[in-house]
Amino acid sequence: MTGNAASPRRALDGVKVLDLSRVLAGPWATQILADFGADVIKVELPGKGDDTRGWGPPFLKLPDGSDDPQESAYYLCCNRNKRSIAIDLANPDGAALIRKLAAEADIVVENFKVGGLKKYGLDYDTLRAINPRMVYCSITGFGQTGPYASRPGYDVLAQGMGGFMAITGEEGGGPLKAGVAMADLSTGNMAAISILMALRHAERTGEGQQIDISLLDTQIAMLANQGSTHLVDGSEPRRLGNRHPTVVPYTTFDCADGVLLIAIGNDSQFRAFCIELGRPDLAEDPRFVLARDRVINRDLLEQTMRDMVRGEVRDDLLARLARVNVPTGPVNTVTEVFADPFIAARQVVHRFVREDGVEVPTVAFPGKLGETPADYRHSPPRVGEHSRAVLGDWLALDAAELAGLEASGAVCQRPN
């Protein structure tokens, strides 16, 4: 597997992460840690692995052109830079092995239902007694406490219950979820931030802690200005399609040959737009001069602008507005996104090449750190690919001990 030509310094070198999470929020968080050098051990069910391995099509293509049914595009998006170990938690020897790994870990991440790991002796209280410096991150749908703690939770439930769907969609239309799992992804990001803060505390004091983070808590926090609007004046934010509740104009406009986004965030940008389109009078109109006036007179202004741009060629208008620093852009398809020159210039896509010749494309971590950048060392692992190596590295188990664990069914190594 390919990595960077010269290995950079890694911010999380030496940090050991035991990843008991599946699907998206947990794996998204641990992928961030892995990208910056943490040794992330992904614990998977022997044979089957993470549920998302089968969430396809599409699946990764093997050298003979056939699909690999355990390598879905979904799974590949959030599991690079990890090593996979296949352990049966329901096997007492497997659970005991997890406890030994937890004793060596700096961080444990899990997203089982509340109390789900207690029967295996893998809950926070049990593992804290073994490793008091450990950061233990529990990701659930609704938190460790509260009225919904016992319920299973998925992204769409958090988007709905957290108010996101109520403010997403066309004005006058029905509620819509986002096109990607925003509650899961936001929770994964927040989990990674929380883990790093707790790790800093543990490194200073030797004191670990449990992090309780839920999809619904995070989705409510992600309401941001919309939630604040309700808390400040009691109003009910509503669906506005592509429009912004407090910034105008900030939406899509139909040109002669396509759709253009115009997102004007201040008065000087509005003035520049009006001058460029030959309507300097609009910039002096008291109904539109100030941002607050444009919000009050939104419908009139947007209709006026629609009439102004309807006959324009989209890309020509985009170039003209960009020259005068008016924020604008096309509404791209995903295909158009990955064909954009931005992708190569910003190194947005990293392509691994496995030993079997299979190319595995992934979207890079977006932050460009000058001294400790993300480092792409391992393509997303196959189930149990590193079982023996991990047990040797973390626990120094010898060949006889490994053979015994494999014979008992507690551990499986992926066949070469």
Side-chain angles (χ1 to χ4, degrees):
M1 286 165 281
T2 60
N4 291 344
S7 292
R9 290 182 292 174
R10 303 181 185 121
L12 298 179
D13 264 345
V15 174
K16 293 182 175 180
V17 181
L18 185 62
D19 185 4
L20 305 180
S21 69
R22 299 105 22 175
V23 188
L24 186 55
W28 191 261
T30 54
Q31 178 170 268
I32 293 171
L33 304 178
D35 282 350
F36 289 90
D39 184 11
V40 176
I41 304 308
K42 183 176 180 68
V43 178
E44 301 193 74
L45 184 67
K48 180 183 177 185
D50 191 311
D51 288 346
T52 61
R53 287 183 179 274
W55 285 13
F59 296 96
L60 194 65
K61 294 293 184 184
L62 295 173
D64 64 3
S66 64
D67 287 344
D68 185 332
Q70 287 195 334
E71 305 289 314
S72 70
Y74 198 117
Y75 164 77
L76 297 174
C77 85
C78 56
N79 286 289
R80 66 169 171 254
N81 283 333
K82 304 175 187 180
R83 297 194 288 172
S84 172
I85 181 170
I87 302 178
D88 183 358
L89 273 63
N91 183 312
D93 290 338
L97 191 59
I98 294 291
R99 287 190 287 275
K100 290 180 181 178
L101 290 167
E104 302 297 320
D106 300 292
I107 299 161
V108 174
V109 180
E110 60 92 5
N111 62 349
F112 284 72
K113 287 179 63 178
V114 173
L117 287 175
K118 190 174 182 62
K119 61 185 175 182
Y120 304 121
L122 301 175
D123 55 296
Y124 173 62
D125 289 335
T126 300
L127 296 187
R128 179 179 60 176
I130 299 169
N131 182 358
R133 64 179 175 79
M134 168 193 64
V135 173
Y136 187 102
C137 181
S138 296
I139 301 172
T140 56
F142 303 104
Q144 301 292 308
T145 59
Y148 312 131
S150 64
R151 295 186 186 179
Y154 285 93
D155 172 87
V156 69
L157 299 179
Q159 288 196 40
M161 296 173 69
F164 184 87
M165 292 174 66
I167 58 173
T168 302
E170 290 298 328
E171 188 170 3
L176 287 176
K177 71 176 183 66
V180 292
M182 289 307 301
D184 273 334
L185 295 170
S186 298
T187 302
N189 288 336
M190 289 295 189
I193 293 168
S194 301
I195 288 166
L196 292 173
M197 288 190 287
L199 181 63
R200 173 67 172 145
H201 176 75
E203 289 173 340
R204 283 201 313 248
T205 67
E207 178 183 51
Q209 60 187 293
Q210 183 176 22
I211 298 165
D212 169 9
I213 187 166
S214 81
L215 302 185
L216 186 54
D217 280 304
T218 303
Q219 184 61 83
I220 293 169
M222 292 298 102
L223 290 176
N225 58 299
Q226 295 280 46
S228 182
T229 292
H230 171 74
L231 293 175
V232 166
D233 72 1
S235 64
E236 179 62 47
R238 59 192 178 91
R239 286 184 287 279
L240 292 171
N242 295 322
R243 303 161 104 188
H244 192 286
T246 54
V247 180
V248 177
Y250 197 98
T251 188
T252 52
F253 292 87
D254 291 330
C255 296
D257 61 342
V259 178
L260 188 67
L261 280 162
I262 300 174
I264 292 176
N266 60 50
D267 299 336
S268 64
Q269 290 171 356
F270 179 66
R271 190 176 306 110
F273 170 84
C274 295
I275 292 170
E276 181 63 32
L277 270 293
R279 291 291 308 273
D281 58 299
L282 288 179
E284 306 301 326
D285 190 317
R287 295 171 296 180
F288 310 135
V289 171
L290 299 178
R292 65 175 61 192
D293 300 320
R294 293 194 292 276
V295 173
I296 293 169
N297 296 290
R298 169 199 303 272
D299 291 341
L300 175 60
L301 176 58
E302 288 181 350
Q303 185 55 55
T304 301
M305 290 179 61
R306 293 187 196 288
D307 293 341
M308 292 165 62
V309 306
R310 185 173 292 117
E312 299 282 347
V313 175
R314 188 195 71 170
D315 289 351
D316 290 347
L317 180 57
L318 191 160
R320 287 169 55 197
L321 293 178
R323 279 197 300 270
V324 294
N325 294 315
V326 173
T328 182
V331 179
N332 287 329
T333 65
V334 175
T335 298
E336 289 169 335
V337 169
F338 286 103
D340 193 293
F342 183 93
I343 298 296
R346 296 288 292 171
Q347 298 181 317
V348 172
V349 174
H350 180 84
R351 298 180 185 276
F352 295 95
V353 179
R354 294 194 322 207
E355 292 89 342
D356 60 3
V358 171
E359 185 179 273
V360 184
T362 63
V363 176
F365 184 83
K368 316 295 185 185
L369 280 69
E371 300 300 329
T372 55
D375 182 30
Y376 307 107
R377 308 175 304 286
H378 309 298
S379 65
R382 288 158 283 184
V383 179
E385 181 177 351
H386 306 101
S387 294
R388 293 172 191 158
V390 167
L391 295 175
D393 292 348
W394 279 37
L395 302 181
L397 298 188
D398 60 27
E401 290 170 307
L402 291 170
L405 288 166
E406 290 171 358
S408 74
V411 177
C412 291
Q413 167 73 25
R414 182 183 179 279
N416 294 324

